[in-house]
Each structure stands twice: as structure tokens, then as C-alpha cells.
Amino acid sequence: MSKRDQGIRIMEELDLSGFDYPDRLPVYLDFLVKEGIEKPELANALRDMSSCALILRAYWRMLGAKHPVLHRPYRNGMAPTDCEQIAGASGARVQIKAPSDRKPAPGDAFFITHPTVPGKEHFEIIMEVLPDPNPDTWAFRICGGGKGKAGANVSSSVSHWKFRGGRAWVGDRYVVAWYDLDKVLAWGTQELSTAGQRYCPSPGLRSSRS
């Protein structure tokens, strides 16, 4: 089984887990709180956290990504910055402007944000590329973290990317970049100080609670 197929299976098993699903809460916590790396109290804090970037970090780690930030304890509020840093350092960030650009594949992830409203960053994992009759739109089945009635959860949905003005838009947010899973997993054990020479964080990421 390829790493991409493994990733899809991981997310399918994680789908519909979290604080809104009491019987499936242990699945969610076991996925995010890795024994030997994370502090046990992280499990208690996860209910009120926006978990999308945390899910992506754990997803990459479970597939064998070696970037050192994934093998250190989670730093509160830094998950979105971690994801951008890992993708940037590994050359996995792909920015798109038109439907003719390279399309992400199942197993890849993406990052969207609002052009003017801080704190609307979001990360998802692509499960399936869907057909779309509109030449200016891409469609995907996606899965990732979000907030429910009782707290943070994982769920799947359909995402439509509409191209206009040199960007791909998902509702009122645009795609900052999508992340190539193969390149994330190809990253070696270089130190962050070296990786940082090729990384420029997106504005506002440090203020996120993910």
C-alpha cells in the first residue's frame, strides 16, 4: 500500500471522531496525543482548540514524516505555523493561480485563509478528486478538523475551488497553497535553522489557536 493510500485509510478511520462522538473520542485523542512526545494534559485542552492544523501535523507524523518539529512536543498556538514551516522547508508548498495549474491528489493537504479577517485559517486533507463540469472549478472530497457542538472533531465534506482573480477560492477564503505529500515525506533530518532559510510564514498565523 502506498503512503497516499495509507493516508486516506488513516483519515477514513478518523472521520466522525472527537468530542461530538463520545464513543469515538478515544480514537481522536490517540491520534493527536502521541505517547512519549506530547504532554498528557494536551488531551484535556483539545476540546477548545481548533484542531485542523493539529490533525495535519499528526497525519504527516503518522505517515513517517521526519521533520524535527513533528517529533517535539506541540507548542500552543503554533500548529498552523508548524504546517507552513514543514511544507515550505520540504518544497511541498504549491501555489496555484488558474485551473490549468497542477492539481493536488488524494493524500495531499491544503491551507486556506480569509484575505482580510484574521483567524480564519484552515487546513484540510484531500481524500478524493471529484468530477466537476465547470472548467473554472475544482472539486474534492476532504477531511479534517473542525469545531462541533461539544468541541473539536474530525469530519469529511466536499470542497469546491473556484478560480477568479488569479486565486482559487473556497467560499470567502482563498487557497494559500496546497502541500505535496510526497515532498513532505521526503524531508530528511535537517535542522530547522537550515529549513528556515527557505521558509516565509504567512501573515497572521501565530495568532491562531490551532
Side-chain angles (χ1 to χ4, degrees):
M1 182 183 293
S2 71
K3 288 290 187 180
R4 289 181 178 271
D5 289 340
Q6 289 179 37
I8 298 303
R9 176 172 290 185
I10 285 171
M11 294 308 298
E12 286 176 343
E13 292 175 352
L14 192 64
D15 193 14
L16 298 181
S17 68
F19 289 92
D20 281 6
Y21 310 95
D23 292 343
R24 300 264 294 153
L25 181 57
V27 175
Y28 178 83
L29 295 179
D30 288 347
F31 182 78
L32 290 179
V33 186
K34 183 172 178 60
E35 185 177 357
I37 295 180
E38 306 293 4
K39 297 177 181 178
E41 53 265 32
L42 175 61
N44 296 324
L46 285 171
R47 178 187 297 272
D48 297 322
M49 289 184 179
S50 176
S51 63
C52 59
L54 286 168
I55 292 292
L56 181 55
R57 288 175 86 257
Y59 168 80
W60 284 339
R61 184 173 63 197
M62 288 191 72
L63 288 175
K66 295 179 174 63
H67 196 289
V69 77
L70 295 173
H71 301 277
R72 299 171 184 163
Y74 166 66
R75 301 164 296 164
N76 188 32
M78 293 297 290
T81 297
D82 288 349
C83 291
E84 273 281 86
Q85 189 164 33
I86 292 162
S90 60
R93 273 179 115 256
V94 181
Q95 294 180 294
I96 53 175
K97 296 182 178 180
S100 57
D101 289 342
R102 180 183 165 205
K103 184 182 290 189
D108 293 328
F110 64 95
F111 166 35
I112 60 176
T113 192
H114 193 279
T116 59
V117 181
K120 293 197 71 173
E121 300 87 8
H122 190 58
F123 297 79
E124 294 273 4
I125 295 157
I126 292 172
M127 305 288 283
E128 181 182 3
V129 179
L130 302 174
D132 194 305
N134 189 330
D136 296 323
T137 305
W138 291 351
F140 306 96
R141 182 169 65 92
I142 61 175
C143 190
K147 293 298 289 290
K149 294 180 180 179
N153 305 287
V154 174
S155 61
S156 58
S157 61
V158 173
S159 179
H160 294 276
W161 300 13
K162 297 182 179 181
F163 286 87
R164 65 178 188 274
R167 286 175 170 172
W169 292 84
V170 182
D172 63 352
R173 293 182 283 189
Y174 69 92
V175 179
V176 178
W178 64 264
Y179 303 147
D180 186 324
L181 176 64
D182 296 332
K183 291 189 175 181
V184 170
L185 297 181
W187 171 252
T189 56
Q190 292 93 331
E191 290 298 321
L192 287 174
S193 59
T194 302
Q197 296 174 8
R198 301 193 301 275
Y199 166 68
C200 181
S202 297
L205 280 178
R206 291 183 180 272
S207 64
S208 175
R209 297 182 62 218
S210 296

